[in-house]
Amino acid sequence: MVLADLDGVWKLGEFDPGAGVSARAFSLDYGDTDWIPADVPGDVHTSLVAAGRIDPPFYHMNVEKCQWVERREWWYRTRFIGPDWGDTDRQLLVFEGLDTFATIYLNGEEIGHHQNMFIPASFDVTGKIKAGEPNILAVRFDPVLDRVGDRQVPGQWAGFGPERVWVRKAQCHFSWDWGPRLVSVGLWRGVRLEGYRAARLSDVFFRTEEIRSNQARVHITVEADVWGATDALTAAIRLTHDDQCVAAEVPVVDGIADVTQDVTNPVLWWTHDLGKPALYDLSVSLQSGDTTLDTRRENVGIRTIRVDQSPDPDEPGTKFFTFVLNDVPIFAKGADWIPADSFISQVTEDRYRELLELAAEANMNMLRVWGGGLYEKPEFYRLCDELGILIWQDFMFACARYPDYDPEFYAEVEREAEQVVRRLRNRPCLALWCGNNENDWIEDMVYWQDPGHDFPGRKIYHELLPRIVGELDPSRLYWPSSPYGGNDHNDEREGDRHNWQVWHGAVYPRRFGEEPKRDFSPAGVSFRHYAEDPARFISEFGMHAAPILETLRRNVPPEELYFGSEGLLYRNKDNPKDKGNNLMLAHTGLPKDLNQYIDFSMIAQAEGLKFGIEHYRRRKPHCSGTLFWQLNDTWPGLSWSVLDYYAFPKAGYFYARRAYAPVMASFKHEEGGAFSLWIVNDTLEPVIDEVTWGVAEFDGTTLREGVVKVSVPANSVQRLVYLPADDVPGDPERTYLFVRSGQGRFPDNREFRVEVKDLIRPQPSLTVGMIRDEETGRITVRVGSDVYAYFVKLVVPIEGTRFSDNYFDIFPGEERVVEVWNVAGHPISPSDIEVSCLDGA
C-alpha cells in the first residue's frame, strides 16, 4: 500500500558529466540552495523554462538553442520526512518513470540504477528510511550520448539519430519527420513509498475465455509475492457491474490463485459505435485470515477480440485482416497516435481526454499507438476503455536496426516486454500487440537484393516478443511488424499496409527481390492513387497540412509569417521540404501567400483523406480498416496531423469525421467517366432510407435528380446506382454529384468530377447570423449561400472550442446551422468567430 507520495517540487542541479559524484551531490549535507525548483512529475527542459534558464523550445528555432541540455549531467534532490511504517516489514521506493539513465541515492547511499524510460523502477528500502525524520533522496541522470558511447549497429540504416537504438526511450525524442530533436530527461512520472507486511499482490490477470448467448466465462489469475506469511493466504475476488456481482475466495498456492467464473447475462464491452463500452469493477484482496494484506482494484471489460486472417473467397489469393469483436466483424476506423507532447510529463489526463474525446466524436473506433513513441500513461488506456476505442499497440521499436545481439540490451528488452504486457493485458481496449514500426519492411527495401535475410532486431520481433505475448497474454494476436504480410512486407494481398504512394511517392506493387522505386511527381504523389489500392487493412496513409493561423502566430515571429519563410519551413521536419507542393500542384495548385497555403494544404489533406477512406470503406469486407497518419502532434509543426498541438482541428479532422460516419454514402469514379453510388452500413441494424441523388451546376441548376428506396443490411455495403458517362450531364468543371438521406441516416455528400484547381465556380455570397445563448454560452451560427460555397470554415482562435460541424460545403440556396461552444471554460462571443469560404474560380 502507498504510505507516502513524494511528488511535488524537488530541486534540480546541473553538472559536467561525472562532476556530480565528485561534488558529492548525493550526500546529506550537500548545499543545494542555488539549485532551481523542479516539478515532479516533470522534466529538465520545462523546469529550465520555468526558471528562465532557457527560452520556450517550441517558439521559432529555440529548439536549437537548448540542445546543450542533453549533454549535461542532471541531478534531482528532495528532502522528505519518513512515514510511519506501522507493522510493515517490507518498504519499497517506486519510480513510475525515470528518463532515462538514472542512479538513485538515499540518505547518501547508492541504492540502484535504472536505464529504461518505459517501465517503473522499484527498490527495496526496508530499514533505510528514518521514520519521522528528514531523509534525502537524490537521482542522477547521465547524458544519453555518454552512455551510448561510440557503439554502432552494423549495417545501420536508421535516421533520426542512430544512437537512439541503444536507448530504451521514446525514439522520437531524437527527432522524426514531424518533430524536432528534444532529448528529454527527468522524473517524468510519479514517485512514492510503499509498505507491506508478509505478502503483497504482484499481478492480477483478467481475461474473457468465451461468450455464449447469455453467459460469459472469465478467468482470473492472481499472483502474490510472499515472504513472511505463516497462515494460509486467500484471494478474495469480486466482479461487479451495477447490481451484478460474482465473487470467489481462492486459496493462494505457491504464490498463485486461479479461478474461472461464469457471468450470467453479461454486459459486454463494445466500441462506442456498436454499443456501450460496459466496464466491470474488479477488486482483489489478499487475505491472511481476517487480515487484509493488500488490495487491488481496476475496471475490466467482458469481451472477445480476434483477427480473422482466413482466405477471402471473393478475391482469390488474398486473406482477410478483420478484427472481430464479440464475434462481430468490424471495420476499424481511426488514426495513428504519437506522443501528445515532446515533453511527455506535461501530458495531463485532461489533455488525453480532450484528444481522445475528439477521436471518438470523429467516429473513430481504433487508434494505433505507434512504435516510435511510448507505452502511454495509465490514464490514456483507462480513457480508451471508457470511451470505447480499441488500441493497436506497437512495441517501442521503429525504423531502425536494433542490437539484439547485445546481451544487456536483449535482457533489458525482455524485462520491458514482460512488464508492459502485464501492465496492459487487462485493458478491454487493447486489441493487438505489434512488434515494431516498419523495421521488417524498410530492412527489406534497403537490402532488397537479399530477401529473407537475418538482421539486427529480428530476434526480438520474431522470437522474444511472440514468446512473451504467447505466455502472458494468449488472448490477443501478436503481429510481428507494421506493415507485415505476404510477398513484400507491404503486400496488398494480406496483412496490413502502409500506403506511402501518396505523399512519399512509393511505387506499388513491389515484391521481394525487386528494387524499390519512387515517383515524386505531382501525378506520382496524387491521392487518386488510393483508388488503385486493394489492400486489406491500411494502418498508415496520409498527407501534410498546415495548422490554423493562430498556431503559427504563437510560434513563428511576425517577420517570418509568410509562405516559404525559413521560420515556417523550420516547422516542417519532413524532407525534402517541398513534398507538399507536388501534392498541391496535383489537386489545388500552388498557393500565393500564407493564408492560401493554409487553405490549400488543408484542402489537399482533407480531400485526400475523404477520397481514401471512402474508397477503402466501399471495399468492405475485403478491406477491414483504415488508420490514417496521424491524429495528433508533439509540437506546433507542419505535419500529417488532423489535430494540431493545441488540439485545434484542421479541415481533415472534419472531413474524416464525416467519412467515418457509421452510415456513409459516397460516389465512386468508374472507368470512362462513369460514376456509381454506394452506401456503407457499419451499424448492427439495417438501414431503411429514401436516398436522393443528382447532378447539379454550381450556380444552383439541377441537371438530373433521382430518388431510390434502399434497404442496406447490417454491417454491409451496397451499390445503389450506376451512372454511365453519357448519363452524367453538364460540364465536368461546372458541376458536381450530390447525395442526401431522406431520414438523416448519413451526412450529405458530394463528388467533383475534376480536381479542385480545375473547378469553375461562381463567387459565393455568404449570409451569416449568430445567436449566443447567455445561459450556456453556446453560439448558434447560421450560414447560407446563393450558389455553391466550397470549404466553408469557422475559425475560433481559442483552445477548447468545439463545432458541431466545420469545413463543409453549402449547396446553392441552402443554409447550414452550426453549434459552437467551449469545453475548456473559455468564454467565446460571436466576434471571436470568423466565417469564410474559398473564393470562386
Side-chain angles (χ1 to χ4, degrees):
M1 62 193 73
V2 177
L3 294 180
D5 184 340
L6 300 184
D7 294 351
V9 179
W10 291 35
K11 289 191 172 183
L12 177 66
E14 169 196 355
F15 294 89
D16 293 332
V21 173
S22 300
R24 297 184 56 80
F26 54 82
S27 63
L28 295 174
D29 57 355
Y30 180 83
D32 57 13
T33 54
D34 60 340
W35 289 20
I36 66 173
D39 288 335
V40 173
D43 59 82
V44 169
H45 286 82
T46 55
S47 298
L48 292 173
V49 171
R53 288 278 310 279
I54 62 173
D55 294 326
F58 293 162
Y59 186 78
H60 195 30
M61 301 181 186
N62 288 347
V63 165
E64 307 305 324
K65 294 161 58 178
C66 64
Q67 291 301 304
W68 62 270
V69 173
E70 69 170 271
R71 298 189 291 271
R72 304 293 286 166
E73 177 180 293
W74 296 96
W75 286 70
Y76 280 77
R77 280 173 59 98
T78 188
R79 178 181 182 274
F80 66 94
I81 302 300
D84 179 2
W85 294 111
D87 61 355
T88 65
D89 58 0
R90 178 169 293 180
Q91 294 94 44
L92 301 177
L93 171 62
V94 180
F95 295 87
E96 287 292 340
L98 291 161
D99 181 13
T100 293
F101 291 106
T103 304
I104 294 86
Y105 303 84
L106 178 62
N107 292 328
E109 175 190 356
E110 181 182 314
I111 62 170
H113 305 269
H114 195 65
Q115 55 182 4
N116 194 319
M117 175 189 184
F118 300 132
I119 56 177
S122 180
F123 303 95
D124 190 332
V125 293
T126 305
K128 297 180 184 295
I129 294 179
K130 297 169 286 189
E133 298 180 30
N135 295 264
I136 297 293
L137 178 59
V139 182
R140 185 188 87 227
F141 288 100
D142 295 332
V144 165
L145 291 179
D146 285 11
R147 294 294 294 269
V148 172
D150 59 0
R151 289 182 293 178
Q152 297 182 3
V153 176
Q156 183 62 275
W157 44 261
F160 317 121
E163 68 275 10
R164 64 184 169 86
V165 303
W166 295 93
V167 188
R168 297 313 296 148
K169 171 179 175 56
Q171 301 288 271
C172 61
H173 285 168
F174 297 83
S175 79
W176 218 262
D177 54 6
W178 35 256
R181 182 180 180 109
L182 284 166
V183 182
S184 63
V185 57
L187 299 163
W188 73 281
R189 290 189 61 200
V191 186
R192 65 181 184 271
L193 293 171
E194 298 177 354
Y196 303 93
R197 181 168 67 87
R200 70 184 185 104
L201 293 170
S202 57
D203 195 40
V204 176
F205 181 23
F206 174 91
R207 57 207 180 275
T208 306
E209 291 191 338
E210 64 176 348
I211 300 172
R212 297 179 179 177
S213 58
N214 64 344
Q215 193 171 70
R217 176 159 292 178
V218 301
H219 196 97
I220 303 164
T221 302
V222 178
E223 296 182 31
D225 181 14
V226 183
W227 61 88
T230 56
D231 295 333
L233 300 180
T234 59
I237 301 168
R238 287 175 58 86
L239 183 68
T240 60
H241 177 82
D242 293 337
D243 58 353
Q244 282 186 329
C245 180
V246 176
E249 289 196 7
V250 187
V252 177
V253 179
D254 296 328
I256 295 177
D258 213 42
V259 64
T260 298
Q261 294 282 87
D262 289 331
V263 181
T264 303
N265 297 321
V267 185
L268 303 186
W269 187 94
W270 291 95
T271 51
H272 66 90
D273 56 327
L274 296 180
K276 292 184 178 180
L279 295 172
Y280 281 73
D281 180 87
L282 173 64
S283 65
V284 178
S285 297
L286 183 62
Q287 302 288 139
S288 176
D290 294 332
T291 303
T292 299
L293 301 178
D294 196 8
T295 59
R296 182 172 296 194
R297 187 173 180 176
E298 61 184 310
N299 286 331
V300 296
I302 296 177
R303 63 104 185 92
T304 58
I305 188 83
R306 60 185 175 88
V307 180
D308 177 9
Q309 297 184 73
S310 63
D312 182 345
D314 295 326
E315 295 189 354
T318 70
K319 295 181 179 179
F320 293 112
F321 196 89
T322 305
F323 285 88
V324 181
L325 177 65
N326 299 329
D327 289 331
V328 174
I330 68 170
F331 192 100
K333 302 185 287 286
D336 295 279
W337 170 280
I338 64 174
D341 202 298
S342 294
F343 306 114
I344 193 65
S345 67
Q346 303 304 298
V347 181
T348 63
E349 181 171 344
D350 286 344
R351 181 97 164 267
Y352 278 135
R353 183 177 294 278
E354 178 178 36
L355 293 168
L356 292 172
E357 285 182 347
L358 282 166
E361 290 166 10
N363 301 303
M364 297 184 189
N365 59 18
M366 180 178 285
L367 296 173
R368 172 176 169 245
V369 177
W370 168 76
L374 72 157
Y375 313 101
E376 292 290 342
K377 299 177 185 178
E379 295 88 342
F380 172 87
Y381 299 97
R382 177 171 54 77
L383 287 167
C384 289
D385 288 344
E386 294 173 3
L387 293 169
I389 299 173
L390 288 168
I391 294 298
W392 168 310
Q393 179 67 57
D394 283 3
F395 286 95
M396 293 300 120
F397 304 93
C399 300
R401 288 182 156 196
Y402 285 85
D404 58 2
Y405 53 82
D406 182 272
E408 182 182 4
F409 181 86
Y410 192 81
E412 186 64 40
V413 168
E414 183 174 24
R415 190 165 70 97
E416 170 192 318
E418 288 176 351
Q419 289 195 35
V420 167
V421 172
R422 286 180 180 275
R423 177 167 76 89
L424 297 182
R425 62 185 178 177
N426 285 355
R427 297 294 186 183
C429 67
L430 194 69
L432 173 147
W433 295 102
C434 179
N436 69 73
N437 172 75
E438 297 186 343
N439 293 357
D440 292 62
W441 177 44
I442 299 177
E443 174 74 24
D444 179 72
M445 289 193 292
V446 172
Y447 296 102
W448 59 270
Q449 304 97 327
D450 185 19
H453 64 273
D454 196 10
F455 60 91
R458 191 180 189 280
K459 185 178 179 182
I460 295 172
Y461 328 129
H462 295 272
E463 296 180 24
L464 177 65
L465 295 178
R467 173 178 63 78
I468 290 173
V469 172
E471 291 173 356
L472 299 180
D473 188 14
S475 65
R476 293 177 179 86
L477 174 68
Y478 172 79
W479 192 241
S481 184
S482 181
Y484 192 78
N487 183 358
D488 175 33
H489 295 305
N490 210 21
D491 196 335
E492 72 280 7
R493 296 167 297 186
E494 59 181 278
D496 70 310
R497 161 173 274 195
H498 292 188
N499 186 328
W500 288 118
Q501 183 170 18
V502 181
W503 186 263
H504 286 312
V507 175
Y508 300 141
R510 174 189 171 269
R511 300 291 177 248
F512 288 136
E514 296 179 358
E515 183 177 5
K517 297 178 181 179
R518 300 271 182 176
D519 180 357
F520 289 114
S521 69
V525 302
S526 165
F527 60 68
R528 298 297 171 187
H529 287 294
Y530 289 138
E532 305 161 5
D533 188 2
R536 326 305 294 174
F537 191 104
I538 299 81
S539 48
E540 281 191 20
F541 67 108
M543 296 133 286
H544 262 212
I548 67 171
L549 183 59
E550 174 65 15
T551 294
L552 298 177
R553 281 180 178 147
R554 294 182 186 185
N555 296 281
V556 179
E559 64 273 15
E560 294 282 339
L561 273 176
Y562 62 89
F563 179 58
S565 74
E566 184 180 4
L568 194 66
L569 289 175
Y570 186 78
R571 305 275 117 195
N572 177 9
K573 297 305 179 184
D574 192 25
N575 286 303
K577 303 289 188 183
D578 63 351
K579 279 185 186 176
N581 290 352
N582 283 336
L583 187 70
M584 290 186 289
L585 277 170
H587 300 289
T588 64
L590 286 179
K592 298 176 182 178
D593 56 35
L594 179 59
N595 286 323
Q596 203 170 65
Y597 165 64
I598 293 172
D599 281 348
F600 283 15
S601 66
M602 281 199 187
I603 289 170
Q605 181 193 57
E607 294 285 357
L609 289 175
K610 174 182 185 294
F611 185 81
I613 291 169
E614 289 178 352
H615 160 72
Y616 292 125
R617 289 190 69 187
R618 284 193 300 266
R619 280 188 41 74
K620 175 179 177 171
H622 314 295
C623 176
S624 297
T626 55
L627 308 177
F628 63 78
W629 188 268
Q630 63 206 58
L631 180 69
N632 58 315
D633 265 330
T634 62
W635 82 310
L638 307 177
S639 79
W640 293 265
S641 74
V642 296
L643 298 173
D644 74 16
Y645 175 73
Y646 304 105
F648 288 127
K650 302 177 185 179
Y653 170 83
F654 291 97
Y655 274 57
R657 187 166 85 174
R658 292 187 287 267
Y660 275 156
V663 181
M664 184 269 295
S666 66
F667 291 95
K668 178 182 177 182
H669 291 249
E670 304 281 5
E671 291 184 5
F675 286 87
S676 55
L677 173 61
W678 299 68
I679 287 187
V680 179
N681 177 17
D682 283 349
T683 75
L684 303 185
E685 301 291 337
V687 170
I688 311 297
D689 201 358
E690 191 172 84
V691 174
T692 300
W693 60 271
V695 182
E697 293 183 334
F698 291 119
D699 65 4
T701 304
T702 299
L703 303 180
R704 182 171 184 181
E705 186 171 272
V707 178
V708 57
K709 293 183 177 180
V710 300
S711 177
V712 184
N715 213 5
S716 69
V717 179
Q718 190 176 102
R719 191 179 81 170
L720 302 184
V721 176
Y722 178 80
L723 286 172
D726 292 343
D727 291 344
V728 186
D731 182 347
E733 297 177 339
R734 300 175 185 272
T735 57
Y736 63 97
L737 289 84
F738 65 87
V739 59
R740 63 188 357 154
S741 166
Q743 304 295 323
R745 295 301 306 273
F746 55 81
D748 292 354
N749 204 357
R750 53 82 182 146
E751 187 67 25
F752 298 140
R753 300 164 70 182
V754 298
E755 301 297 346
V756 169
K757 64 185 176 66
D758 298 320
L759 296 175
I760 300 175
R761 299 177 292 107
Q763 178 63 36
S765 177
L766 297 183
T767 59
V768 180
M770 302 186 195
I771 299 175
R772 185 177 189 274
D773 186 314
E774 296 302 325
E775 184 176 343
T776 65
R778 295 172 72 100
I779 299 173
T780 302
V781 183
R782 295 181 176 273
V783 188
S785 180
D786 54 340
V787 296
Y788 193 102
Y790 176 65
F791 203 64
V792 179
K793 60 181 179 179
L794 287 70
V795 177
V796 179
I798 301 172
E799 288 174 67
T801 301
R802 298 287 178 267
F803 306 86
S804 60
D805 201 3
N806 206 345
Y807 295 97
F808 48 78
D809 298 355
I810 300 178
F811 294 163
E814 296 190 2
E815 181 183 73
R816 295 290 290 271
V817 179
V818 179
E819 295 292 320
V820 184
W821 68 101
N822 191 281
V823 298
H826 303 307
I828 55 174
S829 66
S831 62
D832 295 317
I833 303 174
E834 178 186 338
V835 182
S836 64
C837 67
L838 201 70
D839 288 342

